[in-house]
Amino acid sequence: MHPSQHRGLTRRDFLAATAAATTFGLTAAARAADDPAATLLPNGIRLPADWPPRGVSLPLAELPTPPYLVSPPDVIPIDTGRQLLVDDFLVAESTLERTYHSATYHPATPVLKPDQPWETGTIPNPTAMPFSDGAFYDPKEKRFKLWYMGGHVRGTCLATSDDGIHWTKPRLDVVAGTNIVLGPAWRDSSTVWLDDAETDAERRYKLGYFAGGAMQLFFSADGVHWNRAGTSGPTGDRSTFFYNPFRKKWVFSIRADVSGGGRVRRYHEGTDFLEAARWSQDEAVPWVGADRLDPERSDLKTRCQLYNLDCVAYESLMLGLFTIWRGQPRDRAKPNELCVGFSRDGFHWHRPERKPFIPVSEEQGDWNWGNVQSAGGCCLVVGDELYFYVSGRGGVPGSTASGTCTTGLATLRRDGFASLDAGDAGGSLTTRPVRFRGRFLFVNAAVPRGELRAEVLDASGRVIAPFSRENCIPLREDRTRSLVAWKGQPDLAGVAGRPVRFRFHLAGGRLYAFWVSPSETGASLGYVAAGGPGFGSMVDEVS
């Protein structure tokens, strides 16, 4: 495990936590293995029929190790998505060093500002920001769409873009002459989801905003004209929802409060959107919160809380953007900021790096001096980059007011959450046994001064000819999609369908992900979060 997972723990703490996680993981794995009704995920993880788990006790002292990292499948199928190296789920042995990477703000940030009367009239907090709302690429219309809060706790507005950087506020007919699509009555946080797999055209877009102790739910065919669909179960503000395509479940991320821990999350799921939205207080199970590994601010010395959790399917796993609350200054808007987490079963989270993934600024006067939060959909795939749209509040010095609220854009290399790195002396990584149906091995790697080679081993670790290190054509490039090939061998068809291991030899570079594609184009058949240009759906079927 990466050392950052255990920063601040004593050896006794670490051993106790590991023992508890091991016991929990082995118990869950055994229960699933013996359960004929267990759900088999595309990555080989078996979930017991009694799901989601009900054994979480909040607040958390420390986030437990996910069961699938304690007891991974004997053979891991890798046909769905790029295989990210954010944890050791796929790693049997490695001499490489794992590095976690943060996103960086785009020079054009903020990309959306309050400049219309319905946005600027809420003094001292003129607002044009997602809270979470939604940022998606619509593959039918081939344009970016951003739903956002227009005016402080007022209506929901829609902006569109051809490139994701320059935005237009179209004049629509809901509130004549404005881009308001819902409201402008009072609203708190909201979620909008472009459901590209929906068969009912009238429900292609889904929306829920908090008001009156619950989420008010709507459907739309075009994301502009909304029809009321119902009301959720009881919840606090800042509750959101997302879709988990690995299990074909809608999940509500429900704000709750616990004694001694403040804000935490509860969880409720369902196959149908409205079914997922119906829960009683007892049916929404405890899920996740901040813990003692989330560092306190030195100026506030306040235990952290989990303010919000937005999630999305990205390639082969679930990505979580954790809005961490670190306290409320008396003279500044709350300095919430975004951290990142990963889940391979959709419930248990791995948060190996607690430094901000997308931070607030400590410079008074900056657009994000107070309170950065995520957008629904989390991120989009734009060429070789991921685009993260976030809210930013400029604050009002000497006050807790939000001040001017705008929309920022942060970017990250595609798959770039973590890399396994080697210096000039080189190193290697050997995977656990994997199985695939594809034919072409691809990597996302940056090898500017060294090289990367790969070999294929049988389950016991013997090299399968001709897929040896010596026969591999070395890669010496920096690309998010590079084909790995062997001399005289057109593809991996000869070893498809049987358990094998990959061993990567790397010098002078970084390895971010690998996958086996059915096509020489490198399509991963994984999920591309909120979409992006070039994709015909939310799946990477055409690269």
Side-chain angles (χ1 to χ4, degrees):
M1 293 182 181
H2 192 272
S4 65
Q5 288 179 253
H6 307 295
R7 191 181 296 121
L9 290 180
T10 65
R11 175 176 172 78
R12 179 180 295 176
D13 290 335
F14 169 69
L15 292 175
T18 302
T22 300
T23 300
F24 179 74
L26 291 175
T27 300
R31 186 167 66 249
D34 295 336
D35 187 350
T39 298
L40 181 64
L41 299 183
N43 57 16
I45 296 172
R46 289 185 178 275
L47 306 182
D50 184 15
W51 192 264
R54 295 181 176 270
V56 178
S57 179
L58 298 174
L60 294 172
E62 181 187 343
L63 189 68
T65 302
Y68 54 79
L69 294 182
V70 176
S71 182
D74 293 335
V75 179
I76 300 173
I78 58 170
D79 290 313
T80 301
R82 298 182 179 208
Q83 304 300 310
L84 276 63
L85 299 170
V86 297
D87 56 27
D88 285 340
F89 180 70
L90 291 148
V91 179
E93 299 176 356
S94 177
T95 60
L96 307 179
E97 180 179 354
R98 183 176 281 119
T99 303
Y100 292 96
H101 305 280
S102 297
T104 58
Y105 285 114
H106 192 282
T109 294
V111 296
L112 199 71
K113 301 177 182 179
D115 56 10
Q116 302 299 315
W118 52 94
E119 299 169 342
T120 60
T122 51
I123 302 299
N125 308 315
T127 300
M129 69 169 190
F131 189 46
S132 292
D133 294 280
F136 286 82
Y137 185 84
D138 190 329
K140 290 185 178 179
E141 298 185 21
K142 293 183 169 42
R143 68 173 61 179
F144 295 81
K145 294 183 176 180
L146 172 66
W147 291 264
Y148 67 94
M149 178 190 286
H152 195 63
V153 294
R154 294 289 178 85
T156 300
C157 298
L158 173 64
T160 61
S161 174
D162 292 328
D163 61 6
I165 298 172
H166 304 91
W167 291 86
T168 299
K169 299 174 181 178
R171 295 299 184 257
L172 304 169
D173 61 359
V174 177
V175 178
T178 77
N179 66 332
I180 297 173
V181 298
L182 199 63
W186 187 93
R187 54 151 281 191
D188 197 83
S189 68
S190 170
T191 301
V192 178
W193 203 269
L194 195 171
D195 183 7
D196 193 57
E198 175 62 71
T199 57
D200 184 344
E202 297 300 314
R203 297 187 173 196
R204 184 167 184 250
Y205 296 88
K206 297 168 172 64
L207 182 151
Y209 71 84
F210 174 79
M215 293 188 75
Q216 310 304 315
L217 307 174
F218 298 80
F219 293 133
S220 174
D222 58 8
V224 175
H225 304 92
W226 295 90
N227 297 309
R228 192 169 186 82
T231 302
S232 78
T235 182
D237 64 350
R238 207 63 189 95
S239 295
T240 61
F241 65 83
F242 61 93
Y243 186 64
N244 179 344
F246 300 108
R247 298 185 54 238
K248 296 180 171 55
K249 298 287 187 181
W250 289 98
V251 178
F252 279 77
S253 172
I254 304 164
R255 180 255 172 97
D257 292 87
V258 294
S259 176
R263 289 176 180 253
V264 296
R265 291 278 123 174
R266 285 181 173 267
Y267 177 107
H268 195 259
E269 67 173 38
T271 303
D272 176 76
F273 177 72
L274 294 180
E275 171 198 350
R278 290 191 291 267
W279 64 80
S280 66
Q281 198 66 46
D282 293 336
E283 288 173 326
V285 303
W287 188 16
V288 69
D291 66 15
R292 60 179 174 173
L293 295 184
D294 288 301
E296 298 178 359
R297 286 180 62 98
S298 60
D299 58 339
L300 297 177
K301 295 182 172 59
T302 302
R303 175 173 173 158
C304 294
Q305 300 177 18
L306 179 55
Y307 199 83
N308 181 47
L309 174 55
D310 279 321
C311 308
V312 75
Y314 177 71
E315 292 294 350
S316 55
L317 48 71
M318 294 299 296
L319 169 68
L321 295 183
F322 289 69
T323 300
I324 300 297
W325 179 90
R326 305 192 195 277
Q328 176 64 73
R330 287 177 290 183
D331 58 353
R332 177 182 177 180
K334 58 177 71 76
N336 291 348
E337 52 195 350
L338 289 171
C339 295
V340 71
F342 313 96
S343 179
R344 296 185 185 273
D345 67 6
F347 187 88
H348 299 96
W349 290 97
H350 180 57
R351 296 184 57 208
E353 180 56 79
R354 302 304 178 93
K355 71 181 180 183
F357 178 68
I358 303 178
V360 297
S361 171
E362 297 303 324
E363 294 294 326
Q364 183 180 311
D366 283 354
W367 68 278
N368 60 338
W369 183 53
N371 205 337
V372 169
Q373 299 195 46
S374 53
C378 294
C379 65
L380 298 90
V381 181
V382 184
D384 290 331
E385 292 185 308
L386 301 180
Y387 277 21
F388 297 83
Y389 294 96
V390 298
S391 63
R393 309 186 193 206
V396 177
S399 165
T400 60
S402 294
T404 301
C405 301
T406 58
T407 302
L409 171 61
T411 65
L412 181 76
R413 180 192 181 101
R414 187 172 179 179
D415 311 330
F417 300 98
S419 60
L420 289 174
D421 308 341
D424 294 341
S428 67
L429 176 156
T430 305
T431 71
R432 301 184 191 277
V434 299
R435 182 184 289 114
F436 53 85
R437 295 190 298 267
R439 297 169 54 200
F440 303 98
L441 176 63
F442 283 85
V443 295
N444 181 340
V447 195
R449 65 178 189 276
E451 67 175 32
L452 181 146
R453 297 175 186 250
E455 53 190 348
V456 183
L457 318 176
D458 63 20
S460 61
R462 293 171 295 191
V463 175
I464 301 174
F467 305 107
S468 66
R469 175 182 183 178
E470 294 74 21
N471 202 43
C472 182
I473 300 170
L475 289 177
R476 301 184 179 102
E477 58 189 14
D478 183 352
R479 296 187 61 195
T480 62
R481 185 177 65 233
S482 292
L483 175 64
V484 179
W486 288 264
K487 298 172 186 175
Q489 186 64 34
D491 56 38
L492 293 170
V495 294
R498 56 189 273 201
V500 299
R501 300 175 188 258
F502 289 112
R503 180 173 290 155
F504 297 98
H505 298 273
L506 178 66
R510 289 176 163 170
L511 175 63
Y512 295 89
F514 71 92
W515 67 102
V516 179
S517 174
S519 166
E520 287 184 281
T521 66
S524 71
L525 305 186
Y527 296 97
V528 289
F535 300 110
S537 69
M538 303 305 172
V539 176
D540 179 13
E541 296 175 319
V542 179
S543 293

